[in-house]
């Protein structure tokens, strides 16, 4: 079994910054892609940013230039540095990892429990 634990959420004023962390643990052979998603009240969950095992990244247009995703492969951890936060960034942020638990096994998506980010004055 694989567990993802997010941390780093909280309340921040507009223009402020937060850094989210996502640590994967358990039966892990390799991790393909790690990504951050968010879901605001009444809205669908959307991809915010993702990073592949080779370091390629992509972002939703609304966060480009403000958010940066990175990962520490040795520690099976991903980070999301969020700068210039705005009220519209308020949401529950979820981490997802595409994990292979054993050699020759197919990859499977695992999700964290989510961490609340609130941007308000």
């Amino acid at each position: 079994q694989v567990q993802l634990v997010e941390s780093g959420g909280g309340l921040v004023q507009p223009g402020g910054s937060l850094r989210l962390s996502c640590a994967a643990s358990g039966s892990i052979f390799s991790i393909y892609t790690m990504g951050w998603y968010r879901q605001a009240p009444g809205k669908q969950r959307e991809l915010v940013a993702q990073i592949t095992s080779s370091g390629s990244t992509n972002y939703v247009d609304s966060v480009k230039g403000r958010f940066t995703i990175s990962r520490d492969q040795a520690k099976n951890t991903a980070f999301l540095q969020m700068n210039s936060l705005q009220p519209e960034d308020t949401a529950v942020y979820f981490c997802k990892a595409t994990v292979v638990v054993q050699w020759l096994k197919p990859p499977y998506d695992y999700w964290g429990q989510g961490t609340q980010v609130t941007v308000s004055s």
Side-chain angles (χ1 to χ4, degrees):
Q1 193 59 277
V2 175
Q3 298 82 37
L4 300 182
V5 178
E6 301 113 330
S7 61
L11 172 65
V12 64
Q13 292 187 340
S17 298
L18 284 174
R19 187 179 191 233
L20 305 183
S21 298
C22 171
S25 63
S27 179
I28 298 172
F29 177 74
S30 65
I31 300 179
Y32 287 177
T33 300
M34 297 188 78
W36 289 96
Y37 292 70
R38 66 186 179 187
Q39 187 166 19
K43 294 188 176 181
Q44 288 189 332
R45 189 173 298 188
E46 67 170 351
L47 173 65
V48 176
Q50 65 181 20
I51 183 167
T52 68
S53 56
S54 62
S56 297
T57 60
N58 68 284
Y59 300 88
V60 67
D61 286 347
S62 60
V63 308
K64 286 180 180 177
R66 301 188 297 124
F67 291 11
T68 302
I69 189 170
S70 60
R71 66 191 281 182
D72 182 335
Q73 299 217 108
K75 296 183 178 180
N76 292 329
T77 301
F79 307 95
L80 186 67
Q81 178 66 43
M82 306 185 293
N83 299 328
S84 302
L85 283 161
Q86 300 301 318
E88 52 266 33
D89 296 315
T90 296
V92 178
Y93 283 69
F94 297 89
C95 176
K96 187 184 84 170
T98 303
V99 179
V100 175
V101 298
Q102 190 175 347
W103 187 50
L104 298 182
K105 293 288 188 181
Y108 187 81
D109 289 339
Y110 293 87
W111 290 87
Q113 80 287 352
T115 185
Q116 177 70 47
V117 171
T118 302
V119 185
S120 175
S121 55

